[in-house]
Amino acid sequence: IMSADPVPRMLSVQLQAGELTRPEFEAKRRTWLDAWRKRTSGAYGHFLWIYAYAEPATTREDGLAALAALPEYAPVPEFTPQSAATVLVGKVYGLAGRTNEAVLTLKKATASCIALMEPMQHTRAHLYLGQALEAKGDRDGACAAYKVVGEGWGASMPASVTAQNGATVTDTHS
C-alpha cells in the first residue's frame, strides 16, 4: 500500500538531519516515484503526489515545491473529510503560505471522524490548523486548535514534539 510506504518520509528526515543533500533527496524521491509508477495505474497514480510531496513536506520550500509539482499529478482526487490525505493537502497549503486554503481544508479534516481511524494524523491536523489560523491572525481559533493537541498529547512520555509546538504558541496566547 502506497500510504504505508515510509520511504518519502524517511528521506525527508534524512534531508532535515543533513544526511542527504537536496539533490540527493530529489534523486531518491524520483527513484521511489518511478518504482510506484510501475505498480500504479489509473486514478491511483494521482495519489503519488500525496505521498511523494505532501506527506514529507516540512518547510515552506517543501510546500512550494509540492504545489509546483502538483500539475504533473492532476487531477488529484477529491478528498473527503474522512481522509488523512486531506490533512496532508492542508499542511502543504499552510507551508506554502496559502492560509485561506489551508484553513478551509484543515477545518474539514479536524471536523471529520478520522480521529477514530487516524488519531495521530487527526491531532496533527489540529496543529496545522492552529498554525494556519495563527498566520491569519486568528488568535482564539489558533489557541482552540492547539488546545486539542495539548489535550491529546500534552502529557505523553516521551514528550510529544507536536504538543510542545502547540503548547509553546498556546502559552504565548494565554
Side-chain angles (χ1 to χ4, degrees):
I1 293 176
M2 186 186 318
S3 63
D5 188 333
V7 170
R9 183 69 184 122
M10 291 171 57
L11 294 173
S12 175
V13 170
Q14 289 178 305
L15 177 66
Q16 292 171 35
E19 293 180 16
L20 290 177
T21 64
R22 177 63 65 176
E24 290 170 331
F25 169 81
E26 296 295 342
K28 289 177 182 279
R29 175 165 48 197
R30 275 192 302 281
T31 299
W32 183 88
L33 281 164
D34 290 344
W36 271 102
R37 280 188 180 111
K38 292 175 186 171
R39 298 169 52 190
T40 307
S41 63
Y44 292 105
H46 301 293
F47 281 93
L48 288 170
W49 180 82
I50 294 292
Y51 301 108
Y53 290 91
E55 201 283 329
T58 60
T59 65
R60 179 169 174 77
E61 177 185 4
D62 293 340
L64 292 169
L67 291 177
L70 183 56
E72 181 181 343
Y73 301 92
V76 173
E78 289 291 322
F79 304 106
T80 67
Q82 302 297 326
S83 170
T86 305
V87 177
L88 299 173
V89 172
K91 174 184 79 166
V92 165
Y93 284 142
L95 289 171
R98 292 171 56 173
T99 54
N100 289 336
E101 291 158 292
V103 169
L104 179 66
T105 304
L106 292 165
K107 279 188 175 183
K108 289 177 186 175
T110 58
S112 75
C113 294
I114 67 165
L116 300 173
M117 299 172 290
E118 299 277 349
M120 292 177 62
Q121 196 70 302
H122 189 256
T123 302
R124 285 188 191 105
H126 280 89
L127 175 67
Y128 304 144
L129 176 60
Q131 291 168 338
L133 290 168
E134 186 175 16
K136 285 182 61 99
D138 181 350
R139 176 182 164 170
D140 293 339
C143 285
Y146 293 139
K147 182 177 179 188
V148 173
V149 176
E151 288 173 350
W153 292 346
S156 64
M157 294 307 258
S160 161
V161 172
T162 305
Q164 289 174 342
N165 288 340
T168 300
V169 177
T170 304
D171 290 344
T172 64
H173 290 248
S174 298

